[in-house]
Amino acid sequence: MTRRTTWANRMGTVVAALFLEACRGVQSALAPQGIDAERVAGLFWVMTIGAALILILVMFVTALALFGPESWRRWLSRDGIIVAGGIVFPVTTLTALLGYGFVLTSIGDSRPGGESIKIAVVGERWWWRVIYRDSAGRRIESANELRIPVGRPVEIELTSADVIHSFWAPKLAGKLDMIPGRKNVLTLMAKEAGVSRGQCAEYCGGAHALMAFYVVALPQPEFERWLAHEAEPASAPPTPQALAGMTLFAASGCGACHAIRGTPAAGAIGPDLTHVGGRLSLAAATLPNDEAAFARWIKDNQHIKPGNLMPPYGIFSDSELAAVSNYLASLR
Amino acid sequence: MTLPAAKSIAICVSAVVVTLGVGAMLFVWSGAYNVAASEQHFAVTHWLLDFVKRRSVETQSLLISAPPLDDPDLVRLGGAHYHGGCAPCHGGPGDPRNPVVQQMYPEPADLPIAAPSWTPGQLFWIAKNGLKFTGMPAWVAQNRDDEVWAVVAFLRALPKMSDAEYRRLAIGEAEAPRSGMLELAALGSRAEILSRCHRCHETESSPSANRLVPKLVGQSQAYLEMSLRNYANGLRSSGIMQPIAAELDEANLVEAAKHYAQHRSVGKMASAPLMSEKIERGRRIATAGVPEKGIPPCLACHAGKSAATFPKLEGQHAAYIVGQLRLWRRGLRDRTVQGAIMAAIAPRLTDEQIEDLAAYFESVATMQVPTEAPPPPPPAPPRAPVRRR
């Protein structure tokens, strides 16, 4: 008996901890940081609490009908009560909720914060191509990470290069599908600075679960500084090792698929690596961003993310691999 | 029949069977049967063994259908392999079998005479699978049916072949002249090794060679050494190249690679720039890739400035490129680290794209002509005047 209680207690603690962690986490719709996610969270709480109250009311009335005093039971069986509780109440409640939902979903078009900025995100196999345009109209390509200014509406143009993906950054907004041959636009706005995580929310093939991203909300001036830096070509290799890595990168055909602006590498098939070392993660939020992870990915990417389009590069010796990794990590 | 009678018959039959079995075992155990190759089988044994072999081959090869076998290069490739791999036992026109081989029992078939008694499908089956208890080995690379068919193509042509024709096909047009003993001694084993390469690959005197095998001139020594090692240790499968590479010792392997890496000026074959829609399509893929299909530009790796272990493709035979890309698509070239890269890319190419690319690369004259200065760039075409409103 004691043992069972302890076990139940433990399980209870674990489950409670999971819930709390999920609420606090970088990918929780219950801890919103954007106005759209706040509305989603508000809708969730209204629905959940409303449903709970109605459930309690119905259970109470059921109990009363079964075990209550004779006079109460007779009152409950009147035609008026049946009509009120069985028809009028559900129709008004559901209509009100529907109206609330309509109002919530249509608010998105008129929002404060001035002119919106546009970011194009393309769902790939299995990563996110992210394309910014700065005020001069220059196209700035990045991958697997969105940086957005706080307090300004951001229009994210969602397309797909292959199959249906779904863009979902739970702390900022609801999810929206990325459909081949079609452009969907998701507008969101961050209320405070911070990092949150997003995820592909539509099964898109074997490594679907490894297709995630980070969203970094920055204060407006910091965002502008960052975007200006992102638009720059890659920095020159800072060390002899990185220089060796750069030479290997060029000679081994990496530039056929990857672009590093400012070098001959101009491939358009894989992620743009111009500032890859400055991102929060590698391989679409699958690996940490450090030299060891670069080395693992280059050599062993088919085990990390099976079926991804990059060939495994086993041609490098250990020192060559270290040099290439060092070079890529230096691209901040 | 009563039950006891049936029972006693059964007992008698079992006793006879057991006695025969034990007797046979005793006969085998005693060693009285003579397995000497110097003694012929009884006529009946010979007939039975032959019957078993023929029926087995006929039945096993029933569903094999032969591809087109008339390509002269296919016949030449088969011939060159035949000379090294088959002729020592099976003989060839003007190339009588060694007396040692003639003492094998069963004696290897004299193929110039015996080949026509089999259909191409049956010859393919025998060459691929070998024959038990005869000394006939199976094909080294069981997944390279394309190579086995080359041998079959040659065997079909063999019976009508003159000695000279055989020499031309099997040993090559550009056989090293029979030089004096002193010169031969100076060259040592290198000349012998290279004569094996020259059976199929290009030489100074015959730059075109066989379109089904790669041109080696202009490749880096590192690439050629790596390829030979990959063949020698079976990472790259070929029933033709594996036996040759496995026989090379380290010094000869390096020598052979160096020989081809150093000769840079031959192999310039496509002098007139051939242009066609097909070649233009291939050129676009080679230079720009097809990004939306995940196809990178070939020249990012297969051009002059890339790593030494990547092969250069300019001027390479189209038929060879097509053949290798098909091997990659079938998953037969992914066991080396270099091959694993191409194994990810080749399946993204369609048949048409493969043909276009091969045509493009073949059309590009090999660029390594060290003695000649590059031609001056053509004068820029006059600019069309900009029309203003």
Side-chain angles (χ1 to χ4, degrees):
Chain A
M1 189 66 192
T2 337
R3 179 168 287 188
R4 191 174 296 170
T5 318
T6 326
W7 183 83
N9 276 346
R10 261 191 218 153
M11 280 313 289
T13 319
V14 167
V15 170
L18 278 177
F19 271 110
L20 284 175
E21 198 42 53
C23 298
R24 263 202 306 270
V26 290
Q27 198 178 318
S28 170
L30 299 179
Q33 280 180 342
I35 54 172
D36 305 82
E38 263 175 3
R39 286 186 197 129
V40 173
L43 180 65
F44 169 80
W45 287 118
V46 167
M47 295 291 255
T48 309
I49 294 170
L53 289 177
I54 293 170
L55 181 71
I56 290 167
L57 180 69
V58 170
M59 298 311 278
F60 176 73
V61 173
T62 310
L64 214 56
L66 288 173
F67 310 113
E70 180 69 27
S71 57
W72 284 77
R73 287 158 63 186
R74 191 165 306 123
W75 183 78
L76 277 174
S77 66
R78 284 165 51 189
D79 286 355
I81 293 295
I82 304 288
V83 170
I87 298 172
V88 178
F89 178 73
V91 169
T92 43
T93 316
L94 291 177
T95 309
L97 283 173
L98 187 65
Y100 176 54
F102 279 151
V103 171
L104 265 189
T105 45
S106 61
I107 284 177
D109 303 333
S110 59
R111 62 179 74 225
E115 200 196 339
S116 64
I117 66 160
K118 286 190 170 70
I119 303 175
V121 177
V122 188
E124 303 265 355
R125 184 172 148 187
W126 289 280
W127 58 283
W128 314 83
R129 190 188 296 274
V130 181
I131 301 156
Y132 303 84
R133 291 203 184 267
D134 66 4
S135 46
R138 273 184 302 176
R139 181 183 187 281
I140 305 159
E141 189 170 325
S142 178
N144 298 329
E145 192 167 299
L146 263 84
R147 302 228 169 189
I148 57 173
V150 172
R152 250 180 98 180
V154 179
E155 278 180 42
I156 303 181
E157 299 172 354
L158 301 170
T159 52
S160 168
D162 36 51
V163 297
I164 299 180
H165 302 274
S166 183
F167 181 92
W168 190 31
K171 281 173 84 101
L172 293 167
K175 51 181 95 155
L176 191 59
D177 279 2
M178 316 169 95
I179 297 165
R182 191 190 149 91
K183 183 162 86 181
N184 282 340
V185 178
L186 177 74
T187 309
L188 53 79
M189 190 166 107
K191 286 186 78 177
E192 52 189 288
V195 176
S196 69
R197 193 175 184 275
Q199 177 88 44
C200 178
E202 179 74 49
Y203 181 73
C204 58
H208 157 67
L210 298 174
M211 181 172 171
F213 58 97
Y214 283 103
V215 185
V216 184
L218 299 168
Q220 179 76 30
E222 218 176 299
F223 171 76
E224 266 154 26
R225 265 201 306 281
W226 173 81
L227 190 62
H229 174 67
E230 191 72 10
E232 304 262 298
S235 49
T239 62
Q241 192 191 23
L243 184 65
M246 184 181 174
T247 312
L248 283 165
F249 186 94
S252 308
C254 309
C257 296
H258 296 286
I260 296 182
R261 280 173 270 132
T263 75
I269 297 172
D272 185 299
L273 300 179
T274 307
H275 297 291
V276 65
R279 294 178 199 149
L280 291 178
S281 71
L282 291 185
T286 301
L287 298 175
N289 189 349
D290 55 34
E291 286 183 36
F294 271 116
R296 260 187 76 202
W297 176 262
I298 291 167
K299 196 173 164 180
D300 218 15
N301 62 70
Q302 289 299 329
H303 286 113
I304 297 168
K305 196 179 276 197
N308 87 82
L309 291 180
M310 173 158 163
Y313 261 77
I315 59 171
F316 297 122
S317 69
D318 286 349
S319 64
E320 288 173 335
L321 191 59
V324 175
S325 308
N326 182 268
Y327 168 60
L328 292 173
S330 79
L331 298 172
R332 293 186 167 274
Chain B
M1 200 189 287
T2 56
L3 203 61
K7 204 172 173 182
S8 57
I9 288 173
I11 290 170
C12 281
V13 170
S14 331
V16 169
V17 169
V18 168
T19 314
L20 282 175
V22 170
M25 286 304 296
L26 274 173
F27 175 70
V28 172
W29 175 82
S30 71
Y33 181 78
N34 190 352
V35 296
S38 55
E39 273 204 17
Q40 302 270 313
H41 284 303
F42 295 125
V44 61
T45 321
H46 192 278
W47 173 84
L48 182 67
L49 291 173
D50 207 51
F51 182 65
V52 168
K53 176 181 77 177
R54 189 157 279 277
R55 286 300 305 138
S56 175
V57 173
E58 282 166 1
T59 303
Q60 302 291 331
S61 62
L62 216 51
L63 298 178
I64 297 173
S65 57
L69 296 172
D70 295 324
D71 179 358
D73 278 334
L74 199 64
V75 177
R76 277 169 76 189
L77 178 63
H81 175 75
Y82 184 91
H83 183 67
C86 317
C89 290
H90 291 291
D95 189 6
R97 288 174 298 168
N98 191 298
V100 174
V101 170
Q102 291 178 32
Q103 292 307 314
M104 285 175 74
Y105 195 76
E107 193 183 324
D110 188 0
L111 280 180
I113 295 161
S117 71
W118 302 98
T119 65
Q122 290 162 354
L123 287 172
F124 170 86
W125 189 89
I126 297 171
K128 182 178 177 184
N129 298 294
L131 296 168
K132 280 194 178 83
F133 292 107
T134 65
M136 173 69 191
W139 192 256
V140 169
Q142 281 290 303
N143 47 24
R144 291 296 304 271
D145 288 1
D146 55 319
E147 293 181 329
V148 183
W149 282 115
V151 173
V152 175
F154 174 77
L155 290 176
R156 277 177 72 227
L158 183 59
K160 284 164 276 179
M161 209 172 277
S162 67
D163 293 8
E165 176 75 353
Y166 174 76
R167 286 191 70 77
R168 187 182 73 77
L169 282 173
I171 306 169
E173 285 144 354
E175 198 206 355
R178 298 227 174 268
S179 28
M181 289 305 281
L182 269 178
E183 201 184 334
L184 205 59
L187 286 167
S189 64
R190 185 179 154 204
E192 201 275 323
I193 298 288
L194 289 177
S195 78
R196 287 184 221 170
C197 308
H198 291 161
R199 286 210 297 269
C200 296
H201 296 282
E202 80 279 33
T203 63
E204 288 88 338
S205 50
S206 71
S208 63
N210 191 328
R211 290 175 307 106
L212 295 172
V213 303
K215 278 205 245 177
L216 302 181
V217 157
Q219 302 296 347
S220 74
Q221 185 172 344
Y223 171 72
L224 294 170
E225 279 185 26
M226 180 189 78
S227 302
L228 282 170
R229 291 203 180 92
N230 286 339
Y231 279 126
N233 56 30
L235 287 176
R236 199 172 157 182
S237 66
S238 162
I240 297 173
M241 276 310 294
Q242 275 179 260
I244 292 174
E247 264 191 5
L248 297 176
D249 61 19
E250 182 62 23
N252 280 327
L253 187 148
V254 172
E255 273 299 313
K258 200 192 270 175
H259 170 82
Y260 281 99
Q262 280 174 349
H263 282 76
R264 299 198 149 223
S265 52
V266 303
K268 195 174 189 299
M269 56 178 293
S271 46
L274 298 157
M275 284 315 283
S276 72
E277 219 169 286
K278 191 181 165 87
I279 290 172
E280 176 55 24
R281 282 196 306 264
R283 190 191 63 78
R284 276 203 300 272
I285 301 171
T287 52
V290 189
E292 65 275 16
K293 298 283 177 203
I295 300 169
C298 315
L299 291 171
C301 291
H302 297 290
K305 279 179 287 178
S306 310
T309 48
F310 293 154
K312 314 289 176 276
L313 297 183
E314 292 106 342
Q316 189 54 275
H317 294 302
Y320 171 71
I321 293 177
V322 170
Q324 294 299 303
L325 283 171
R326 292 213 176 113
L327 289 184
W328 259 301
R329 284 210 306 200
R330 285 167 59 207
L332 300 181
R333 274 206 67 179
D334 59 356
R335 289 194 293 155
T336 63
V337 286
Q338 276 80 8
I341 297 174
M342 203 58 215
I345 297 162
R348 300 175 198 167
L349 293 165
T350 64
D351 280 328
E352 197 199 11
Q353 286 170 329
I354 287 179
E355 298 281 346
D356 293 348
L357 279 170
Y360 164 70
F361 280 116
E362 188 173 75
S363 77
V364 183
T366 40
M367 287 172 179
Q368 299 84 7
V369 189
T371 49
E372 289 171 35
R383 275 240 183 107
V386 180
R387 195 168 292 169
R388 289 180 190 279
R389 276 189 297 152

